């Protein structure tokens, strides 16, 4: 049975700045969903005629959406953990893209241009994941938040 949208949020409610109660995100579920969606888009990007849209744009967009969800977290320990997970997500996308390119190498009609572009996708997701991790961990508003 597919998950509901409510499965991606915990049952803990917190008062937001506007006086409303909001649910805290369940980062474990969101991480799994973003990995699944990004991996599918990388795989599909290698089989359809528009690989840049599916293979690069969607995984990178997913990384930025994940970053956007994390940056509103108030708990410093959760931010550290989520920042690591965004880097790991980019690295996992790298591994998926490398696997897709190695599968393409095993075919008789492979081209070095196609393999090279897939390696480029792999490196882009890792670099963006690392960049977003640095933004989350090193550029907080105060020194006290970094402890």
């Amino acid at each position: 049975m597919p998950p509901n949208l409510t499965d991606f949020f915990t049952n803990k409610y917190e008062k937001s700045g506007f006086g409303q109660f909001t649910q805290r995100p369940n980062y474990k579920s969101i991480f799994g969903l973003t990995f699944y969606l990004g991996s599918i888009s990388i795989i599909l990007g290698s089989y359809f005629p528009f690989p840049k849209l599916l293979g690069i744009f969607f995984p990178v967009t997913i990384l930025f959406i994940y970053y956007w969800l994390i940056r509103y977290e108030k708990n410093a320990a959760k931010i550290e953990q989520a920042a690591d997970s965004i880097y790991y997500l980019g690295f996992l996308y790298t591994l998926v893209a490398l696997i897709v390119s190695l599968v393409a190498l095993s075919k008789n009609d492979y081209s070095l241009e196609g393999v090279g572009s897939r390696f480029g996708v792999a490196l882009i997701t890792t670099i963006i994941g690392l960049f977003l991790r640095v933004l989350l961990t090193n550029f907080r508003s105060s020194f006290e938040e970094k402890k």
Side-chain angles (χ1 to χ4, degrees), residues 36-65:
Y36 175 76
L37 293 174
S39 297
I40 294 298
S41 69
I42 290 169
I43 292 167
L44 291 177
S46 68
Y47 293 109
F48 286 101
F50 35 89
K52 289 185 174 90
L53 177 66
L54 284 174
I56 298 173
F57 180 73
F58 284 164
V60 168
T61 302
I62 290 169
L63 282 172
F64 277 106
I65 290 170

Side-chain angles (χ1 to χ4, degrees), residues 89-143:
L89 182 63
F91 186 69
L92 287 170
Y93 288 164
T94 297
L95 295 177
V96 170
L98 291 176
I99 290 169
V100 167
S101 66
L102 291 175
V103 168
L105 273 177
S106 67
K107 297 180 182 177
N108 291 335
D109 59 341
Y110 74 93
S111 71
L112 288 180
E113 180 182 311
V115 172
S117 68
R118 289 185 191 102
F119 271 86
V121 169
L123 294 176
I124 287 171
T125 57
T126 298
I127 290 169
I128 290 176
L130 181 59
F131 172 74
L132 293 176
R133 183 199 182 285
V134 168
L135 283 180
L136 285 170
T137 57
N138 293 346
F139 296 109
R140 294 201 202 130
S141 60
S142 72
F143 180 75

